[in-house]
Amino acid sequence: MNPRLAPEHVDAPAAPGAEQAPMLERCGRLREYWYVACTSAELRDAPLGRVILEEALAVFRDAQGQPVVVRDRCLHRNAMLSEGEVVGGCLKCPYHGWTYDARGNCVRIPSEGQDCALPKERLRRYPAREQDGLVWVWMGADPQAIDKDPFPMPHYDEPGWGAYYMVTHFENSVTNCAENFMDVPHTVFVHKGWFRSTTRKQIRAVVERTRDSVLVTYHQPHDSIGFTGFLLNPSREPMVHTDKFYLPNMTRVDYDFGSKRSFIITSHSCPVGPYETRVYTLISFRLGNRLLNRLGRLLLPPYTRQVIWQDVVIMANQGASLRRYGEDFRNSPCDVIHRYIESLREHEARGGATAPPPQTTEVDFFV
Ligand code: FES
Ligand SMILES: [Fe+2]
């Protein structure tokens, strides 16, 4: 090799996509929220690598067991720290062993010996919290400016309730995933026979947009969901169904059957990239007594896993089309929920001062 072209003299090539700022820099106020990095159960002794808003993060537990989130990039030669190990609550790089404490300070450079000078620079650190079985990270620009708490996951670890998480990768955007989780018309096609089949039934819904949420109340007291009726509603109580979207990415779908039985699907759609979303779904349920709750814990996961998988497939379908041609939607009147969610998220993305005005609409669906 020509010594003048030896690697140390070659300029580093521009990173692919370097001409466009990462999502974190171009998502406006959408970064000023808590996002889920992982479930508490996933974060054990080894560090985890996660990407949120195209920012690579390493997640680990400090010596007290508290979660720590830092940028997943060693200060030395930029290897990914998440593939290293945790030693005494510090994160050790897999390449040359530079070791970082929970504040992001480099505390050891093995190749330089005991008393070497350590860099003054720190790893970029993101505030982390653990709540409701999830590790949350604040992605906001100013870590001192946290102005809200993580979203409360309903009935997690509450007496009388059963609950479990599912983590699923979707090849579509956060907006389209959140809309899918609140979309009733698709259920008779995508989940035919599993969730609902066409009955030519008319369902009326009241849809309300507030400054930070979209709230939907359905009038379908005699409806049921899938073949789970024998478990969820054996005495055929009237069903009360409400769907809610909360900025930036939460959806909550409640089915109540009388005063003793409920089934709730709460989803956090975490943005990985423009068309990649990691969804944390909490299924919470109460079936009337402890024995039935135990039965639910056995029977509900395979059912909910299958229904989510059907959504993964249709979301990958739409996502591939959107990546190819962009978005060019034709909305019908019953797409009002989609339009409301989009208006709130777009407003946050623009970082605008004037939120879309509160509005209430009635809409009829045929399923
Ligand atoms: S790249 Fe991390 S220690 Fe060298
Ligand atoms: Fe679905």
Side-chain angles (χ1 to χ4, degrees):
M1 180 189 284
N2 181 340
R4 290 172 58 199
L5 293 181
E8 63 267 32
H9 299 299
V10 176
D11 285 342
E19 64 285 351
Q20 191 179 31
M23 278 175 89
L24 188 66
E25 308 299 333
R26 55 187 162 89
C27 71
R29 280 196 51 78
L30 284 173
R31 68 180 291 184
E32 307 293 325
Y33 287 92
W34 290 97
Y35 287 93
V36 172
C38 59
T39 66
S40 297
E42 286 175 305
L43 189 59
R44 303 169 79 90
D45 299 335
L48 294 176
R50 291 289 184 264
V51 176
I52 300 180
L53 291 165
E54 294 187 313
E55 174 79 336
L57 306 170
V59 190
F60 67 102
R61 289 193 187 276
D62 68 14
Q64 285 71 45
Q66 296 302 310
V68 179
V69 181
V70 292
R71 180 178 271 173
D72 194 5
R73 188 170 156 94
C74 180
L75 294 176
H76 181 217
R77 310 292 294 173
N78 303 157
M80 287 191 289
L81 297 162
S82 58
E83 294 183 9
E85 56 183 318
V86 179
V87 180
C90 292
L91 183 57
K92 186 165 132 191
C93 180
Y95 198 177
H96 313 94
W98 284 33
T99 302
Y100 301 89
D101 69 11
R103 292 156 57 93
N105 295 306
C106 178
V107 292
R108 186 159 182 255
I109 300 180
S111 59
E112 301 290 336
Q114 282 295 341
D115 301 317
C116 67
L118 296 165
K120 299 237 176 326
E121 200 186 342
R122 280 183 189 174
L123 292 174
R124 180 168 188 170
R125 208 169 68 102
Y126 290 88
R129 270 196 215 169
E130 196 157 14
Q131 179 185 298
D132 299 331
L134 297 171
V135 173
W136 302 77
V137 53
W138 177 261
M139 298 302 294
D142 178 1
Q144 305 302 322
I146 299 174
D147 59 355
K148 45 185 90 71
D149 292 323
F151 187 86
M153 300 302 278
H155 310 294
Y156 178 79
D157 212 10
E158 191 176 309
W161 287 77
Y164 59 93
Y165 280 109
M166 293 186 294
V167 185
T168 316
H169 185 84
F170 283 78
E171 292 178 12
N172 209 323
S173 67
V174 166
T175 305
N176 289 323
C177 287
E179 291 180 5
N180 171 262
F181 305 148
M182 290 189 42
D183 179 292
V184 166
H186 85 283
T187 55
V188 295
F189 300 103
V190 172
H191 308 300
K192 189 177 177 184
W194 279 84
F195 193 83
R196 181 183 279 122
S197 298
T198 310
T199 50
R200 307 215 181 285
K201 215 181 280 173
Q202 184 172 359
I203 298 176
R204 173 150 297 186
V206 177
V207 186
E208 182 190 357
R209 178 177 64 193
T210 73
R211 298 224 168 258
D212 58 3
S213 64
V214 178
L215 313 170
V216 189
T217 306
Y218 292 92
H219 296 285
Q220 49 179 154
H222 305 300
D223 207 356
S224 61
I225 47 172
F227 58 78
T228 53
F230 76 97
L231 196 61
L232 294 172
N233 194 17
S235 45
R236 296 187 177 272
E237 301 271 358
M239 181 169 99
V240 178
H241 174 194
T242 57
D243 287 1
K244 303 166 195 91
F245 166 83
Y246 300 98
L247 275 173
N249 63 345
M250 298 297 314
T251 58
R252 174 175 166 167
V253 175
D254 284 55
Y255 300 97
D256 290 305
F257 311 93
S259 59
K260 288 201 180 122
R261 292 187 173 81
S262 306
F263 181 70
I264 306 175
I265 309 157
T266 309
S267 305
H268 175 97
S269 296
C270 189
V272 176
Y275 287 101
E276 264 189 278
T277 301
R278 193 176 168 91
V279 177
Y280 297 83
T281 311
L282 177 69
I283 304 290
S284 17
F285 57 92
R286 55 176 183 158
L287 303 176
N289 63 50
R290 198 183 295 178
L291 199 66
L292 285 171
N293 278 356
R294 276 205 198 141
L295 191 61
R297 186 68 184 84
L298 281 178
L299 297 182
L300 287 172
Y303 172 73
T304 50
R305 173 49 63 207
Q306 174 64 20
V307 170
I308 285 190
W309 180 246
Q310 292 164 338
D311 285 327
V312 166
V313 172
I314 194 65
M315 285 290 93
N317 167 328
Q318 185 198 32
S321 171
L322 297 179
R323 274 196 296 269
R324 184 172 293 131
Y325 295 117
E327 294 186 0
D328 179 23
F329 297 155
R330 306 280 180 282
N331 288 317
S332 71
C334 62
D335 290 319
V336 62
I337 299 167
H338 295 229
R339 287 193 287 108
Y340 279 179
I341 292 175
E342 283 158 21
S343 65
L344 291 180
R345 281 187 50 84
E346 282 165 11
H347 171 259
E348 287 291 279
R350 285 195 304 271
T354 323
Q359 219 166 43
T360 302
T361 313
E362 276 200 356
V363 63
D364 288 319
F365 296 92
F366 288 86
V367 291

